[in-house]
Amino acid sequence: MSKKIIRTEKAPAPVGSYNQAIAAAGKMMFVAGQIALDPNTGAIVGEGDVKKQTEQVMANLEAILVAGGASFADVVRTTIFLADMNDFAAVNAVYAKYFDEATAPARACVQVSRLPKDVLVEIDCIAVVSS
């Protein structure tokens, strides 16, 4: 994959583990939103604990990326959906473990009125892998 970080001082600097934009070339993989479901049992992981839920979400994303021949290094865009924006710092702390700030993907984060199975966080991503 060819990936270039886009940064300009003419737009606001990132305030977390993301970049303003990523230019990428290769095969695109669109990973559906993942919630904190244990893949073996189908049960919610970390009921009421946004950090534990985020860890499970990231594990689920990683498993799908690997199955598609990619890794977090190939991710160019993520969207984080939160049930409560007050959980942003906790989610961002876990998320930052998976992405180096210098090369992190572009990202959006929004609060929504409700998520599937009443979880606290859902994350989707787009990766670009070498053809």
Side-chain angles (χ1 to χ4, degrees):
M1 171 196 55
S2 167
K3 179 168 126 176
K4 179 182 177 187
I5 306 301
I6 308 297
R7 291 190 184 147
T8 178
E9 292 181 9
K10 294 180 180 181
V15 295
S17 297
Y18 67 95
N19 277 292
Q20 292 167 319
I22 306 289
K27 180 176 69 173
M28 296 181 74
M29 180 175 14
F30 298 85
V31 181
Q34 295 300 301
I35 61 174
L37 290 177
D38 180 307
N40 297 315
T41 66
I44 298 294
V45 173
E47 193 77 42
D49 184 331
V50 74
K51 284 186 177 183
K52 286 184 181 175
Q53 286 194 11
T54 305
E55 289 166 358
Q56 184 63 52
V57 167
M58 298 305 285
N60 293 347
L61 287 171
E62 184 172 38
I64 294 166
L65 288 166
V66 168
S71 71
F72 283 118
D74 300 309
V75 174
V76 296
R77 169 87 166 135
T78 63
T79 307
I80 301 173
F81 303 93
L82 297 175
D84 184 347
M85 193 58 79
N86 291 318
D87 289 335
F88 177 79
V91 170
N92 196 52
V94 174
Y95 177 96
K97 294 178 189 176
Y98 295 85
F99 298 107
D100 175 48
E101 273 193 39
T103 59
R107 178 179 81 185
C109 181
V110 296
Q111 178 175 314
V112 295
S113 63
R114 191 169 180 203
L115 289 165
K117 298 190 177 278
D118 294 316
V119 295
L120 303 174
V121 60
E122 178 175 353
I123 302 174
D124 68 17
C125 69
I126 300 171
V128 179
V129 294
S130 299
S131 299

